[in-house]
Amino acid sequence: MARDVFSEMEPFRIKMVEPIHLPSGEDRARFLEEAGLNVFLIKGENILIDLLTDSGTGAMSDRQWAGLMMGDETYAGCRNFYNLESSVRDIFGFNYVLPCHQGRGAENVLHSAFIKKGDVIPGNTHFDTTKAHIEHNNGRAVDCTVDEASDPYLDHPFKGNVDLKKLEAVYKEFGKDRIPFTVVTATCNSGGGQPVSLENMRAVKKLSAKYGIPVCLDGARYAENCYFIKTREDGMRDRPIKEIARMQADCFDMMTMSAKKDAIVNIGGFIATGDPAIYDRIKNFGILFEGFVTYGGLAGRDLEAMAIGLYEGIDEDYLGYRIGHVRYLGERLKEAGIPVLWPPGGHAIYLDMKKFLPQIPPDQFPGMAFCAHLYLESGVRGVEIGTLLNGRDPDTGKNRPATLELVRLTIPRRVYTYRHLDYVVEAVKKVWDKRRQIKGFELTNEAPVLRHFTARFRWAP
Ligand SMILES: *Cc1c(COP(=O)(O)O)cnc(C)c1O
């Protein structure tokens, strides 16, 4: 079948370049050893192609860089805040905007205002920082994702959807006194970058309204989600992305945003809502944790880049290229017989470690072992999304074996070319060819929260 070369090609040209370099095999082995076998702890300059995350790793446009020069560094009421407010109002229809330094800053503010001990926050595979902030506030995250999401090979258009029966059961059990809000993550990062349909969001909104429970959008990848709605949902194909973004936002009482994703900035985030009572409730926590309400831990210039980036993130040519670029990596890997979660996510391709390294049990972290070998072979860095990330059960202290044991190859926005992706495919094939000799990990050092950032290991015997 002929490929649609126009829609796949990069809708930009390159005006500045940043050299990358492959360290020698000997050096790579040493860097990995020094990092306690955790690729997270290797210096960025020693990575050739970095697919650790798409968070804050995108390339800003010429307009965004120009925006940096327009930073108004007034403490209170800087011009750039009002530009951000105007972008958020125009795209999402939310009148109240509280800037935060990044997504977890927004979560900290919102959760501090809303969650009390013993509360329950239902959602569709909560992101790791979201879950950690819920638990930090002595609440509990309850996963209500559709069962289709746990089959890595089931080709379903909206594997991020919320299961309404599961959600209603939680509503019935705990009621609005113990459920301060429900969170819908779109696309669903920890669930494979899978989208949520507009129909599902509308149904969640309706059900939640019946029980008097507010709904929050975790909107880090709201634009990629809109593109999936446009291309996969009935009756959406002819609607502009911006219109879909508004229809999506209309299903929510509030949103938290890591602007480091779909707003294509290196730092930034916000909370937005249409409800003045919610804004009143969060704003003092914003001042306490992030800074005054018109800057929220950011410089004026960062707010400006975000105000511009929000529009670039919903540009249709950009989104067509973006989703196609990620899909290209997934298709090449699948053709090579590598077990990849299907369909491809919006921002990343996920490798199925239960099939790749079946000999390694969950508590020996097959995803971590894979990442170590991928780095040794090629200088490429991926990230484990599995049992290490899942952490320990706060009640029992035991490892929580992940339903899906994955490695994520995350594509930064507007940074790597198709040729870089070809190199990644060859690198994964090399690890695949020696998969039967690969051993697991033993933990030697572990932090009590978000342990995947700093854990250290040795090879299991
Ligand atoms: C990245 C992310 C966050 C946290 O945002 P940071 O900017 O990294 O703090 C929250 N939710 C989702 C879905 C994310 O992808």
Side-chain angles (χ1 to χ4, degrees):
M1 203 172 74
R3 308 191 67 93
D4 183 352
V5 180
F6 177 78
S7 76
E8 279 186 358
M9 76 169 205
E10 294 86 350
F12 51 81
R13 50 188 185 183
I14 296 165
K15 131 150 81 184
M16 191 186 286
V17 294
E18 184 184 0
I20 53 177
H21 166 72
L22 177 65
S24 70
E26 216 170 273
D27 283 344
R28 297 200 294 275
R30 182 163 52 85
F31 297 142
L32 184 68
E33 204 60 46
E34 286 168 1
L37 306 182
N38 183 352
V39 292
F40 220 115
L41 302 177
I42 296 175
K43 286 181 184 168
E45 65 185 13
N46 295 327
I47 305 289
L48 177 68
I49 295 180
D50 202 349
L51 307 184
L52 180 72
T53 176
D54 63 327
S55 180
T57 54
M60 292 208 296
S61 67
D62 51 354
R63 290 189 59 237
Q64 286 176 295
W65 279 100
L68 291 186
M69 299 307 294
M70 304 297 283
D72 165 7
E73 306 307 341
T74 308
Y75 189 93
C78 70
R79 176 195 326 126
N80 318 104
F81 167 75
Y82 297 102
N83 292 344
L84 173 67
E85 194 183 57
S86 135
S87 298
V88 171
R89 285 178 178 170
D90 182 36
I91 295 170
F92 303 102
F94 290 135
N95 269 332
Y96 302 92
V97 187
L98 191 70
C100 296
H101 78 281
Q102 60 183 84
R104 75 199 66 183
E107 288 166 349
N108 185 32
V109 169
L110 185 80
H111 294 188
S112 300
F114 273 79
I115 302 177
K116 60 181 189 326
K117 193 172 163 57
D119 279 355
V120 164
I121 288 78
N124 55 338
T125 320
H126 307 64
F127 184 62
D128 58 349
T129 62
T130 315
K131 192 192 265 175
H133 274 291
I134 291 169
E135 288 169 1
H136 179 70
N137 284 286
N138 301 304
R140 197 154 55 82
V142 179
D143 187 8
C144 299
T145 316
V146 291
D147 289 335
E148 284 88 344
S150 47
D151 178 347
Y153 303 102
L154 181 76
D155 198 349
H156 180 284
F158 293 106
K159 285 168 109 173
N161 278 357
V162 178
D163 184 320
L164 297 163
K165 287 213 180 73
K166 291 183 195 169
L167 185 65
E168 184 153 27
V170 177
Y171 285 180
K172 283 200 169 125
E173 186 177 349
F174 297 100
K176 67 174 181 191
D177 293 338
R178 289 187 58 197
I179 307 176
F181 61 90
T182 290
V183 59
V184 176
T185 308
T187 63
C188 189
N189 187 359
S190 307
Q194 301 293 317
V196 182
S197 73
L198 189 60
E199 185 189 17
N200 188 251
M201 291 177 181
R202 286 177 168 159
V204 168
K205 168 79 181 157
K206 196 164 160 218
L207 183 68
S208 307
K210 186 174 138 197
Y211 285 85
I213 295 165
V215 193
C216 179
L217 169 67
D218 180 346
R221 300 185 184 76
Y222 80 99
E224 290 167 4
N225 200 72
C226 291
Y227 191 81
F228 284 120
I229 289 175
K230 183 179 166 95
T231 51
R232 294 183 185 173
E233 198 159 345
D234 286 346
M236 291 291 148
R237 196 161 273 275
D238 295 327
R239 294 189 190 263
I241 292 289
K242 193 169 163 214
E243 200 179 308
I244 298 173
R246 176 63 72 89
M247 291 193 289
Q248 185 171 271
D250 285 346
C251 301
F252 297 93
D253 300 279
M254 55 205 175
M255 71 184 285
T256 53
M257 177 77 188
S258 168
K260 299 169 69 171
K261 323 293 175 40
D262 272 352
I264 326 181
V265 289
N266 304 121
I267 193 74
F270 58 82
I271 305 173
T273 177
D275 184 343
I278 292 177
Y279 180 72
D280 256 4
R281 198 165 160 187
I282 60 176
K283 112 183 142 185
N284 291 318
F285 287 97
I287 296 172
L288 180 64
F289 294 135
E290 299 284 301
F292 187 61
V293 297
T294 59
Y295 75 86
L298 296 166
R301 54 180 174 271
D302 300 323
L303 298 169
E304 190 64 27
M306 194 156 55
I308 297 167
L310 279 169
Y311 285 107
E312 294 185 359
I314 54 172
D315 179 86
E316 311 226 352
D317 288 346
Y318 158 72
L319 278 173
Y321 143 76
R322 164 73 176 159
I323 302 296
H325 192 231
V326 174
R327 188 174 181 96
Y328 175 86
L329 176 62
E331 284 172 346
R332 296 293 82 75
L333 288 169
K334 194 178 179 195
E335 278 168 16
I338 311 288
V340 290
L341 191 138
W342 211 257
H347 65 297
I349 293 303
Y350 295 71
L351 309 181
D352 178 6
M353 288 300 124
K354 285 189 183 171
K355 280 236 165 89
F356 207 116
L357 297 172
Q359 72 273 25
I360 304 180
D363 60 1
Q364 288 189 5
F365 311 110
M368 294 304 291
F370 170 86
C371 289
H373 279 276
L374 183 67
Y375 178 72
L376 288 174
E377 288 294 335
S378 67
V380 173
R381 173 154 69 177
V383 65
E384 193 248 24
I385 304 281
T387 300
L388 183 70
L389 178 71
N390 233 16
R392 291 179 186 273
D393 186 302
D395 298 327
T396 68
K398 290 206 160 60
N399 277 318
R400 293 185 273 213
T403 322
L404 298 179
E405 197 70 67
L406 304 171
V407 162
R408 187 183 71 191
L409 302 176
T410 339
I411 316 296
R413 293 170 181 76
R414 307 189 290 206
V415 170
Y416 293 117
T417 66
Y418 283 91
R419 209 69 180 138
H420 289 123
L421 297 186
D422 290 339
Y423 178 89
V424 173
V425 172
E426 293 308 312
V428 173
K429 277 158 68 176
K430 277 194 184 166
V431 182
W432 177 249
D433 289 342
K434 61 194 290 193
R435 65 191 181 278
R436 292 196 180 84
Q437 289 100 275
I438 295 178
K439 291 198 161 72
F441 274 10
E442 286 175 353
L443 267 167
T444 58
N445 193 292
E446 172 183 12
V449 286
L450 296 173
R451 61 178 178 173
H452 51 291
F453 286 103
T454 53
R456 299 180 73 88
F457 304 88
R458 61 173 169 254
W459 292 104

